[in-house]
Amino acid sequence: MVKLKEIPRTATFAWSPGAQLPFIATGTVAGAVDADFSSKSVLELWDLNLVDKSTNGFQLSSPVVSVGTDARFHDLIWGAVNTSHPNGIIAGAQENGTLVLWDPDALTKDPNSSPLLSSTQHTGAIKSLDFNTVQANLLASAGSKGEILVWDLDKPGSPLTPGTASSRLDEVESVAWNSSVAHILATGGNTGFTSIWDLKNKREVLHLFYPGSGGGGRRGVSSVVWHPDNSTKLITASEDDNAPVILMWDLRNANAPEKILSGHDKGILSLSWCKRDGDLLLSSGKDNRTLLWNPQSGDVLGEFPIATNWTFETRWYDRNPELFATASFDGKISVQSIQNANKPDQVAAAPKPEGNDFWNAPSYVDTQQPTFSLKQPPRWLRRPVGASFGFGGKLVSLQLDKSQTPATKSTVKINRFVIEPKSASETEKFKE
Amino acid sequence: MAAIGSLHNDVIHDAVLDYYGKRLATCSSDKTIKIFEIDGDNHKLIETLQGHEGPVWQVSWAHPKFGVILASCSFDGKVLIWREDESTKNWSNIAQHATHTESVNCVQWSPPELGAVLVCGSSDGNVSVVEFNDDGNTSAVTIHAHSGAVYAAVWAVSGTVTKRFATGGSDGLIKIWTYDAASNNYVEEAVLEGHSDWVRDLAWAPSVLPKAYLASASEDKTVIIWTQEQSNAAWKKQVLKAPGGDKFPETVWRVSWSLSGNVLAVSCGDNKITLWKENLKGEWEECGSIDE
């Protein structure tokens, strides 16, 4: 794990979804003030330029695009890639209740181009957004006063509500679409309840509550994420400083959490479940720490360098989850990789240019200390099958031995493959 | 057909016969490499190579003119070179290349005419070309090849032998690189766009004709055959029609050409391996398969 890049902003952010080079969109975060107490709020696009591994390339200085906005952001997402938007759509949840959609390509061409949509259907602040991964034209938004809206991007004028909640909703902090069932939505908020909505029947199917370890503390749910492959599993995080736990639920028995992950010292503010490997979960929170878990086993796989203030948001780069980023109230978004193969001593500490105090600022010097490297390789690297040809019409095949699940053994076979009888006999003659 | 049962105590990631088809090398998540003597249908384990600190992803036999030499790459970020001593027949690790900061996902020896040269691709986005000179020292060149991880790097095989290779990565791109003597480095010759997700594997068809065949396997469950009539002509692409439509059921992990370069073995995440041949109309047809 080593810090690759840093964006000097106190902002909520979103990774670019497409295949092109990685970008990060940032929106000035609501509820925080910069040193200069300016009330300005901007949406910015940053080219990470990962090829530049030099020391002065570490901190990104200027965004590719910077657009003033009238209100700050609680959440920012970038998705819904389709033919009309090859580089997706950026959606911003503003503290004044406005939902704003931008086309990143249009912004790059002309930063003052007007947004695709600017809607004030929400009467209170919007806290969380999510694009539906199964039906790319659906967007869910949730926020204050228990307001939850589902938008069809093709006709954004008339968003729907998912139905009436059984328990009184207040501040809905997090909304998330199920990863494989298009009409199932989860929301969590400061009442401590997590609601599961069925949009086909427009009603709340289930609500999950964990009384926690006694004590009357407020057990708000700060974040809800669905399992990337298993449609009945989800994880919620508690922002309660007394019981900062991560709860894994299986909806087939929703009375109690299936697993409780404890490791944070203070309330958790953000979760991100790796879409390409369900055994990798990121969490960050008020203890300024970012932890990597294996939710299946409940183990903490590692911890990343501590920020100097709350790490309020952490997100995998879904396109290439070797990378993830964490935003902190210490004014930095740090882009990191989950692996640092060479031991610290082998990684030459970046030479500090002398005589220039700026480079000795803590943000630069201590952040090059890798403290953790993933021991077990992520699933996407573990190639299970292969074939290669050999002299004399041989074909070596390599396949998983599926007699036990999960398969941890392989079978190798050396087959004779004959396509044209003519060529096989020639190699036989040749071998004598 | 010789089936070699549970030989490693974890998943195996690569299995390759040597030049004469007499030795088989396998590498696994149990961090070891095993060498077998193959004689007809029976096999005998003759060595277990230990040294990597992480799962070993790929192995590559050097051309016999350099001796009995094997290169291996691993999640531990290292490339190790192993050699069997002629007389004692003992294997030992004779060299190491450890400049990458993340998993090294692929390694391949160059055509022998170029000397003992390795190309390796890593999750840190870089490709390194390591040349082992006769006097024992090595010289390495590093190229930032892809914005994400590099999953495939394969040497070009064509009539005239040139220092040229292709890479594929998590940005979905395939890039062709050619050696530029002036800058003593490899420069980007072409970028092939066609996959919508990671490029998992590449295979350059062995042929002496000027027409180049490059197969690519991708996380987007498709295989593309790229052809170039002669060097610096444009590359044409043709998506392989999979059994059930144009997509395979799962991620396509590997593609490899037969020694004569006319049959392609496609290894898919559904644990099935299918064989393909180009028919007279230039379409690719399935001509065999290996079930579980």
Side-chain angles (χ1 to χ4, degrees), chain A residues 92-307:
Chain A
Q94 295 191 312
E95 61 182 342
N96 63 1
T98 311
L99 170 68
V100 196
L101 302 182
W102 286 276
D103 179 340
D105 293 339
L107 278 185
T108 329
K109 283 196 204 66
D110 164 20
N112 331 5
S113 60
S114 54
L116 297 170
L117 174 81
S118 179
S119 161
T120 53
Q121 299 270 355
H122 275 271
T123 57
I126 308 177
K127 291 288 185 71
S128 174
L129 297 170
D130 195 25
F131 281 118
N132 188 316
T133 44
V134 180
Q135 263 177 281
N137 62 322
L138 292 182
L139 166 68
S141 64
S144 307
K145 302 180 191 158
E147 286 173 339
I148 303 167
L149 293 176
V150 175
W151 310 70
D152 180 345
L153 298 181
D154 304 335
K155 3 193 235 312
S158 52
L160 310 168
T161 64
T164 52
S166 59
S167 61
R168 190 184 54 73
L169 288 177
D170 186 9
E171 296 286 323
V172 182
E173 297 288 344
S174 178
V175 62
W177 290 101
N178 186 289
S179 43
S180 35
V181 182
H183 60 278
I184 298 295
L185 187 71
T187 58
N190 65 350
T191 59
F193 280 94
T194 303
S195 306
I196 310 294
W197 304 86
D198 174 353
L199 296 185
K200 273 196 182 138
N201 311 318
K202 283 183 74 68
R203 64 182 179 76
E204 183 192 39
V205 177
L206 259 178
H207 63 266
L208 315 171
F209 183 70
Y210 172 66
S213 53
R218 217 165 52 84
R219 272 169 299 287
V221 171
S222 60
S223 183
V224 182
V225 283
W226 288 91
H227 195 293
D229 320 310
N230 184 330
S231 61
T232 65
K233 292 193 181 229
L234 73 155
I235 281 186
T236 62
S238 158
E239 61 175 337
D240 175 12
D241 289 347
N242 310 330
V245 287
I246 294 173
L247 308 173
M248 185 152 160
W249 303 82
D250 188 334
L251 300 186
R252 288 168 298 190
N253 166 14
N255 303 317
E258 185 187 18
K259 199 182 286 285
I260 298 170
L261 311 179
S262 41
H264 277 284
D265 314 326
K266 289 239 181 54
I268 296 141
L269 297 175
S270 180
L271 293 173
S272 185
W273 208 330
C274 181
K275 292 213 170 24
R276 294 200 193 239
D277 183 348
D279 289 345
L280 293 176
L281 176 81
L282 280 169
S283 68
S284 69
K286 299 185 229 176
D287 55 4
N288 310 350
R289 297 159 69 206
T290 304
L291 299 181
L292 179 64
W293 306 79
N294 175 339
Q296 199 51 35
S297 65
D299 306 334
V300 177
L301 299 178
E303 179 173 343
F304 297 94
I306 294 181

Side-chain angles (χ1 to χ4, degrees), chain B residues 39-290:
Chain B
D39 178 14
D41 276 359
N42 37 45
H43 57 276
K44 185 160 70 69
L45 173 65
I46 52 173
E47 191 74 49
T48 298
L49 305 178
Q50 296 181 319
H52 276 298
E53 293 146 16
V56 189
W57 302 130
Q58 197 165 17
V59 282
S60 178
W61 288 98
H63 189 275
K65 82 176 190 183
F66 300 109
V68 182
I69 292 177
L70 188 75
S72 62
C73 68
S74 159
F75 180 68
D76 65 9
K78 295 189 176 59
V79 174
L80 300 182
I81 316 296
W82 312 83
R83 183 175 58 197
E84 182 191 56
D85 184 276
E86 266 81 13
S87 48
T88 65
K89 294 294 176 209
N90 293 338
W91 282 82
S92 60
N93 168 4
I94 57 168
Q96 166 177 312
H97 171 66
T99 61
H100 291 290
T101 59
E102 287 184 41
S103 168
V104 182
N105 305 317
C106 56
V107 67
Q108 189 192 51
W109 289 103
S110 67
E113 297 80 359
L114 297 179
V117 188
L118 266 181
V119 68
C120 338
S122 164
S123 287
D124 62 12
N126 293 335
V127 162
S128 49
V129 180
V130 189
E131 191 151 356
F132 297 86
N133 311 323
D134 311 341
D135 52 23
N137 54 39
T138 63
S139 58
V141 169
T142 300
I143 305 124
H144 185 79
H146 291 270
S147 78
V150 179
Y151 289 123
V154 291
W155 290 97
V157 184
S158 63
T160 57
V161 178
T162 55
K163 280 187 170 183
R164 188 172 171 232
F165 57 84
T167 61
S170 61
D171 53 12
L173 300 177
I174 297 165
K175 296 184 181 177
I176 315 284
W177 305 83
T178 307
Y179 182 68
D180 163 34
S183 62
N184 181 21
N185 205 335
Y186 286 83
V187 292
E188 202 180 276
E189 173 197 317
V191 178
L192 311 182
E193 292 186 44
H195 285 296
S196 58
D197 205 337
W198 301 352
V199 174
R200 281 277 184 193
D201 196 18
L202 291 172
W204 207 296
S207 90
V208 287
L209 312 172
K211 178 169 183 181
Y213 280 81
L214 176 67
S216 61
S218 166
E219 188 83 1
D220 66 11
K221 302 176 183 171
T222 67
V223 171
I224 294 180
I225 310 287
W226 306 81
T227 49
Q228 185 188 42
E229 289 309 322
Q230 81 272 341
S231 62
N232 51 46
W235 286 87
K236 288 203 285 301
K237 86 175 179 189
Q238 187 182 359
V239 180
L240 203 73
K241 281 278 166 292
D246 57 8
K247 287 212 170 192
F248 282 83
E250 293 284 341
T251 302
V252 185
W253 286 90
R254 290 303 293 266
V255 275
S256 30
W257 292 99
S258 63
L259 300 190
S260 52
N262 57 1
V263 175
L264 183 70
V266 173
S267 307
C268 180
D270 63 355
N271 219 28
K272 292 205 170 40
I273 296 166
T274 47
L275 303 177
W276 299 77
K277 228 170 77 62
E278 191 176 22
N279 64 20
L280 298 179
K281 297 196 291 299
E283 291 141 0
W284 290 84
E285 286 166 350
E286 187 177 348
C287 61
S289 73
I290 297 171

Side-chain angles (χ1 to χ4, degrees), chain A residues 42 90 117 128 142 157 171 176 199 290 316 323 367 399 421:
Chain A
V42 281
I90 295 175
L117 174 81
S128 174
E171 296 286 323
L199 296 185
T290 304
W316 289 105
L323 304 180
T367 58
Q399 290 158 309

